[in-house]
Amino acid sequence: MLTLNDSSLYECKPFYGMEIERRLCSSTYGRGKGAPGYTRRTQQRRVAMSLWETVRECPNSVMESLTRMYVDEFDQLLQDLLPKEPLLKTSATKLCFADKIFLVFIWITKYEEYSVLALLFGISRTVVCNLIDIALPILCDHFKQFIPNKLPRGARSSCLDRKIIAIVDSTIHATKRPPRDQHLHYNSNYKRHGMLTHLLVTFNGDIAAVQTNVLGRVHDSTAARRNELFPKVLGKNRFALGDPGYAGVSWVVAGFKTNQLKTPEARRFDTVSRAEQAQVEHVNNFIKKCQVLSKTNMFRQGLEKHVACVFIVCGWFNWMKWTFGKFS
């Protein structure tokens, strides 16, 4: 008969949960009170051993599946956030600073239920909620500094024209159906209620500026006309490349719809335009894989936390690109 401690159960572990479960069920860390071999020292060792210390012994693929970062990248993030440690004094006294940040990033990446995180870290659901409430504004302030709201000097321009120096695109983040004014939040294109985020991305793949908390009903071109930040970032007589949804916006060079491709020039323009706009899809792909901002998982924790997650994830993308050269 197989038992929880039988190693044959874990010979093929297809996802990170098996590795964590194996370590939590190991002879030292997993024995409960009253089990054979349980001593006071065993209890002390259980309390002293953090989940982060457990996971960092696992392969990098385990860490990446949990937080989308490798161990050395997470270590660097902890060093950057160390001055903010006094601000994270919460009722989660049994968690070390690394475990608190680890918990929040698991929530951002996986959007697990509070009860699952409480079970994983050995704290109550209320403590998890309070920790996320306190940590999100701190992380938001930290990562917003990596969204420059300006274009770097010598930024690459489009092959179509030197005056086209950025790409604009939008993405939706699913939210639960609001109790009233539901039509304002419903997007007929994505067929769901949600909040829109517009991104201004350079041809180097950096996020230059972000506009979020746009009602799901608002069309891309309407939101772009009301956007005062992006034209200011671009500067005078500078433009951004966009899809056909941005047609009619003064600072956007919009692509053609399929039924407009009637000449060879239009078809060549469309080919180059779509190829260059692929740069922004790499950014969108990173954002959508963070489950708090996905198209499918409905966010239920309120607008303020949702907006904070947008700035955290966008700043986090730039931080990993600039610090470790990822996504290049």
Side-chain angles (χ1 to χ4, degrees), residues 139-152 173 197-202 205-212 227 229-230 233 283 286-287 293 306-323:
L139 292 175
C140 184
D141 289 340
H142 174 75
F143 282 111
K144 277 172 67 177
Q145 64 182 318
F146 296 100
I147 305 175
N149 288 332
K150 62 181 180 180
L151 294 173
H173 318 301
T197 293
H198 292 259
L199 303 170
L200 189 67
V201 179
T202 68
D206 305 329
I207 300 176
V210 178
Q211 180 197 34
T212 191
N227 191 328
L229 174 62
F230 288 7
V233 171
V283 181
F286 178 85
I287 293 174
L293 301 179
H306 211 180
V307 171
C309 288
V310 172
F311 285 108
I312 289 171
V313 173
C314 290
W316 177 22
F317 176 88
N318 278 348
W319 175 78
M320 289 215 292
K321 188 174 188 300
W322 297 344
T323 307

Side-chain angles (χ1 to χ4, degrees), residues 188-323:
S188 57
N189 181 33
Y190 294 101
K191 301 294 189 292
R192 67 184 71 252
H193 294 84
M195 175 183 75
L196 289 169
T197 293
H198 292 259
L199 303 170
L200 189 67
V201 179
T202 68
F203 285 98
N204 294 324
D206 305 329
I207 300 176
V210 178
Q211 180 197 34
T212 191
N213 194 22
V214 179
L215 293 174
R217 182 185 181 183
V218 179
H219 194 270
D220 287 349
S221 60
T222 305
R225 290 190 191 98
R226 297 173 180 173
N227 191 328
E228 298 179 358
L229 174 62
F230 288 7
K232 184 178 178 181
V233 171
L234 289 171
K236 189 176 181 181
N237 294 327
R238 293 292 185 271
F239 303 93
L241 198 62
D243 59 43
Y246 289 93
V249 181
S250 60
W251 51 272
V252 178
V253 178
F256 291 112
K257 295 181 180 179
T258 305
N259 59 2
Q260 295 174 324
L261 301 175
K262 298 179 180 179
T263 64
E265 292 79 8
R267 287 191 286 271
R268 283 196 295 269
F269 172 86
D270 184 70
T271 301
V272 176
S273 174
R274 290 180 183 274
E276 291 189 334
Q277 289 180 63
Q279 191 69 254
V280 79
E281 294 304 324
H282 298 308
V283 181
N284 271 333
N285 184 51
F286 178 85
I287 293 174
K288 292 169 187 174
K289 283 187 177 179
C290 294
Q291 296 301 311
V292 291
L293 301 179
S294 73
K295 292 182 180 179
T296 54
N297 287 341
M298 291 188 298
F299 193 83
R300 302 178 298 276
Q301 273 73 35
L303 179 62
E304 291 183 359
K305 289 184 182 178
H306 211 180
V307 171
C309 288
V310 172
F311 285 108
I312 289 171
V313 173
C314 290
W316 177 22
F317 176 88
N318 278 348
W319 175 78
M320 289 215 292
K321 188 174 188 300
W322 297 344
T323 307

Side-chain angles (χ1 to χ4, degrees), residues 50-112:
S50 72
L51 185 62
W52 163 238
E53 292 172 348
T54 303
V55 172
R56 68 178 300 148
E57 298 175 7
C58 303
N60 257 329
S61 57
V62 177
M63 183 63 184
E64 188 178 27
S65 67
L66 284 168
T67 63
R68 309 202 65 200
M69 289 182 283
Y70 293 145
V71 172
D72 58 334
E73 295 167 356
F74 191 79
D75 281 335
Q76 182 61 50
L77 178 62
L78 291 177
Q79 291 296 322
D80 295 347
L81 292 173
L82 198 58
K84 302 181 185 295
E85 181 178 5
L87 301 177
L88 273 175
K89 297 297 184 182
T90 66
S91 53
T93 53
K94 66 180 294 185
L95 295 183
C96 63
F97 176 67
D99 267 3
K100 292 176 182 178
I101 302 299
F102 190 39
L103 183 150
V104 176
F105 272 89
I106 291 177
W107 179 76
I108 290 174
T109 304
K110 295 295 183 183
Y111 196 40
E112 297 287 4

Side-chain angles (χ1 to χ4, degrees), residues 1-190:
M1 179 181 294
L2 295 176
T3 64
L4 282 178
N5 287 322
D6 195 326
S7 60
S8 61
L9 279 173
Y10 304 100
E11 288 177 355
C12 298
K13 36 187 181 295
F15 57 97
Y16 66 89
M18 286 295 191
E19 180 69 20
I20 294 176
E21 183 183 353
R22 183 184 69 80
R23 292 177 182 275
L24 294 179
C25 293
S26 63
S27 58
T28 301
Y29 193 73
R31 285 184 184 144
K33 191 171 183 179
Y38 181 88
T39 62
R40 184 178 296 275
R41 173 171 290 187
T42 303
Q43 183 183 23
Q44 292 172 351
R45 289 164 72 178
R46 283 188 62 182
V47 173
M49 189 174 186
S50 72
L51 185 62
W52 163 238
E53 292 172 348
T54 303
V55 172
R56 68 178 300 148
E57 298 175 7
C58 303
N60 257 329
S61 57
V62 177
M63 183 63 184
E64 188 178 27
S65 67
L66 284 168
T67 63
R68 309 202 65 200
M69 289 182 283
Y70 293 145
V71 172
D72 58 334
E73 295 167 356
F74 191 79
D75 281 335
Q76 182 61 50
L77 178 62
L78 291 177
Q79 291 296 322
D80 295 347
L81 292 173
L82 198 58
K84 302 181 185 295
E85 181 178 5
L87 301 177
L88 273 175
K89 297 297 184 182
T90 66
S91 53
T93 53
K94 66 180 294 185
L95 295 183
C96 63
F97 176 67
D99 267 3
K100 292 176 182 178
I101 302 299
F102 190 39
L103 183 150
V104 176
F105 272 89
I106 291 177
W107 179 76
I108 290 174
T109 304
K110 295 295 183 183
Y111 196 40
E112 297 287 4
E113 296 288 345
Y114 287 172
S115 55
V116 175
L117 295 173
L119 181 64
L120 191 59
F121 285 86
I123 55 180
S124 70
R125 187 180 183 278
T126 303
V127 173
V128 172
C129 181
N130 292 338
L131 176 59
I132 291 176
D133 287 346
I134 294 173
L136 282 185
I138 297 172
L139 292 175
C140 184
D141 289 340
H142 174 75
F143 282 111
K144 277 172 67 177
Q145 64 182 318
F146 296 100
I147 305 175
N149 288 332
K150 62 181 180 180
L151 294 173
R153 291 184 178 180
R156 286 173 50 196
S157 59
S158 170
C159 298
L160 298 168
D161 194 296
R162 293 182 61 185
K163 293 183 179 181
I164 303 175
I165 56 176
I167 311 164
V168 64
D169 195 20
S170 67
T171 186
I172 193 169
H173 318 301
T175 59
K176 66 178 182 180
R177 185 180 300 176
R180 58 184 180 182
D181 296 329
Q182 295 179 9
H183 65 288
L184 297 178
H185 301 266
Y186 184 78
N187 187 286
S188 57
N189 181 33
Y190 294 101

